[in-house]
Amino acid sequence: MSTTRFLWLIVYRVRDANRAAKVRDWARFQGRVLRPGVCETWATQSGLRQALLDVSYHLSPEDQVYVYRICADCREDCRFYGVDPPGAPEAAIIF
């Protein structure tokens, strides 16, 4: 099981207001919300798979979720403008 974490960009569009609120809460828990309907998170492939399974219970066939993995090379080529730069992977300290 790989412990390598990748940066993922998740874009979602949920048509029902009640379902959308649940997905927004899920997105806040997963990572950093960049704007409504867009969040970034650092996760392993299996961790992301589990997170998407969790959120799928709140989705309907008319809803859309897109997941993009941002590889290290692509991340280096990204340009950012503004006051809040993209997040870095969190460091975990276990005693």
Side-chain angles (χ1 to χ4, degrees):
M1 183 162 145
S2 175
T3 59
T4 303
R5 292 188 302 159
F6 300 97
L7 176 62
W8 303 89
L9 185 68
I10 303 171
V11 180
Y12 55 91
R13 187 167 126 195
V14 180
R15 297 183 184 265
D16 177 76
N18 291 329
R19 288 194 319 266
K22 291 177 182 175
V23 174
R24 270 193 309 273
D25 290 344
W26 169 85
R28 286 186 190 116
F29 179 76
Q30 290 305 313
R32 186 168 79 152
V33 175
L34 302 176
R35 59 171 289 132
V38 180
C39 74
E40 68 175 3
T41 186
W42 287 90
T44 62
Q45 288 182 334
S46 61
L48 181 74
R49 201 173 306 121
Q50 181 61 51
L52 293 174
L53 180 61
D54 294 345
V55 77
S56 71
Y57 295 110
H58 303 296
L59 298 174
S60 173
E62 65 190 16
D63 300 327
Q64 299 168 319
V65 177
Y66 299 92
V67 180
Y68 303 95
R69 187 176 98 181
I70 310 298
C71 70
D73 290 338
C74 295
R75 185 162 159 70
E76 298 229 352
D77 287 337
C78 289
R79 300 295 173 255
F80 174 78
Y81 303 94
V83 295
D84 194 16
E90 315 82 32
I93 300 174
I94 302 172
F95 296 95

